[in-house]
Amino acid sequence: MTLVENILKLKKEKKAIILAHNYQRPEIQDIADYVGDSIELCMRATEEKDAKLIAFSAVDFMAESAAILNPDKKVLLPSLGARCPMAQMLPAEEVRLWKRQHPNVPVVLYVNTLAEAKAECDICCTSANAVKVVSSLEADTLLFGPDHNLAWHVEQKTGKKLIPIPKKGFCPTHLLFLKEDILLAKEEYPDAVIAVHPECTSDVQLVADFIGSTSQICRYAKESAKRKYIIGTEIGIIHRLEKENPRKKFLPAYEGAVCPNMKLNTLERVYLSLKEERYPVTVPKSVASKARKALEKMISIVSMK
Ligand code: 13P
Ligand code: SF4
């Protein structure tokens, strides 16, 4: 039997599902039950009522959020080392420090944080809903972290003041996109649409035609009549874009924009994860219950029309 056949067999035997982020290797996306952005994957984990086992092919904070929202399911992260460096930039202790310095200022945290930090915030957000979440709050000044580029994006859209915590949290992969490279690509393909993730720098966001989460970029490309796109997010997304839009052309704004953490997941590791049920994501109950409240508040706002 091939590796893929073995994975499918195990999946059936164990009533498991495979959820894969849009940045996963093509071969993982192709066998996944669902491919999506961070919020979609967590919501899908909840919707899959019959699944008791979830191989969550992504990075630590995403699998952790799914585990927090689904305490009755076993969530597995196929590679222990798949940790998002941005999430490491805002330890819970630092959130507490900022809260002490700014009492009564609400704290909004990007899901790209670890559970302990989430437990300290008022509400979570993802790149797909950050504008909606921040707009829904009464306050005009908020603490927001850890991504200062997403904070900048939300400030532009809402007119509110976001105090970035830490001062300059960032995604090392999205920092690789340069405005100059994008403008050069645009010179070569003047009719191309520039679509980027809000984790890109403000310079890059300012030259973009569309800014959105990974799945929002996919939706935009599907619905738009335009034929060519310059894509400013991790290159794993190109596979999904090409698969869903075989007649359109997608150019990575920078070929080297790889998230090494996302790429730790391989077919072999997904197979071993299902076989050995490794590595289960666990969050202490006291932390999980607080973090769950922040995640559920976000979900309730997203679900509002
Ligand atoms: P999305 O929610 O847009 O998938 O983003 C997650 C992420 O880590 C982007 O780098
Ligand atoms: Fe974290 Fe950036 Fe990788 Fe997304 S692309 S998981 S933010 S390091």
Side-chain angles (χ1 to χ4, degrees):
M1 271 207 296
T2 65
L3 194 51
V4 168
E5 284 166 347
N6 272 314
I7 291 174
L8 298 179
K9 183 168 173 272
L10 268 176
K11 225 170 61 107
K12 210 169 172 185
E13 281 168 11
K14 299 198 173 197
K15 285 200 164 92
I17 57 161
I18 300 172
L19 301 180
H21 187 262
N22 289 318
Y23 296 161
Q24 290 300 279
R25 294 170 186 273
E27 59 275 24
I28 296 182
Q29 293 192 28
D30 290 347
I31 53 139
D33 293 278
Y34 187 72
V35 180
D37 68 12
S38 47
I39 176 89
E40 289 173 339
L41 293 178
C42 287
M43 291 177 80
R44 187 65 187 234
T46 307
E47 285 157 18
E48 291 280 345
K49 302 277 181 236
D50 295 335
K52 289 282 166 264
L53 195 64
I54 301 176
F56 206 103
S57 200
V59 288
D60 54 357
F61 72 85
M62 296 186 191
E64 211 179 55
S65 299
I68 291 168
L69 289 168
N70 298 279
D72 55 326
K73 292 174 181 148
K74 193 168 184 182
V75 178
L76 307 169
L77 184 65
S79 317
L80 258 193
R83 307 171 79 189
C84 168
M86 186 201 284
Q88 308 287 329
M89 290 176 195
L90 187 58
E93 185 45 46
E94 192 165 343
V95 184
R96 289 192 279 271
L97 207 80
W98 283 94
K99 282 184 2 179
R100 282 200 291 275
Q101 286 169 7
H102 299 268
N104 307 320
V105 176
V107 185
V108 181
L109 290 191
Y110 193 22
V111 281
N112 297 39
T113 40
L114 295 176
E116 274 206 14
K118 285 189 180 79
E120 293 294 332
C121 78
D122 294 290
I123 186 164
C124 288
C125 71
T126 72
S127 53
N129 59 39
V131 171
K132 196 167 179 182
V133 165
V134 167
S135 304
S136 76
L137 302 172
E138 266 182 30
D140 286 326
T141 301
L142 301 131
L143 289 163
F144 186 99
D147 188 13
H148 82 281
N149 292 309
L150 178 62
W152 182 86
H153 172 70
V154 177
E155 275 193 335
Q156 304 307 301
K157 295 281 177 191
T158 62
K160 297 197 182 196
K161 179 175 163 51
L162 302 194
I163 302 167
I165 61 169
K167 281 217 162 76
K168 284 223 168 211
F170 63 94
C171 161
T173 303
H174 285 83
L175 217 63
L176 296 170
F177 294 107
L178 298 179
K179 180 180 109 181
E180 293 75 14
D181 292 344
I182 294 182
L183 293 180
L184 269 178
K186 181 79 179 168
E187 251 176 52
E188 199 174 336
Y189 302 97
D191 52 341
V193 176
I194 304 169
V196 309
H197 197 277
E199 287 175 12
C200 291
T201 62
S202 52
D203 274 5
V204 167
Q205 293 187 41
L206 282 169
V207 297
D209 301 300
F210 180 80
I211 303 167
S213 80
T214 53
S215 287
Q216 285 172 336
I217 292 176
C218 291
R219 221 165 296 131
Y220 174 75
K222 215 175 193 178
E223 287 165 7
S224 162
K226 298 282 177 137
R227 310 290 292 222
K228 288 195 193 103
Y229 299 81
I230 296 163
I231 301 295
T233 193
E234 210 268 357
I235 55 156
I237 199 174
I238 302 287
H239 176 69
R240 177 170 168 194
L241 287 166
E242 287 177 341
K243 203 167 155 181
E244 291 181 351
N245 308 278
R247 301 161 94 93
K248 295 181 181 174
K249 192 169 170 60
F250 299 96
L251 309 140
Y254 176 58
E255 294 263 5
V258 176
C259 173
N261 309 283
M262 284 280 183
K263 296 301 191 272
L264 280 178
N265 298 319
T266 58
L267 265 190
E268 176 88 341
R269 287 187 175 135
V270 170
Y271 166 69
L272 289 172
S273 176
L274 286 172
K275 183 165 175 265
E276 317 277 343
E277 300 197 8
R278 72 190 197 193
Y279 297 93
V281 181
T282 52
V283 181
K285 270 195 177 139
S286 57
V287 173
S289 67
K290 288 188 197 154
R292 188 177 306 120
K293 276 190 196 139
L295 284 164
E296 284 177 348
K297 258 195 221 165
M298 166 186 77
I299 291 171
S300 73
I301 284 168
V302 176
S303 316
M304 274 179 348
K305 288 279 168 237

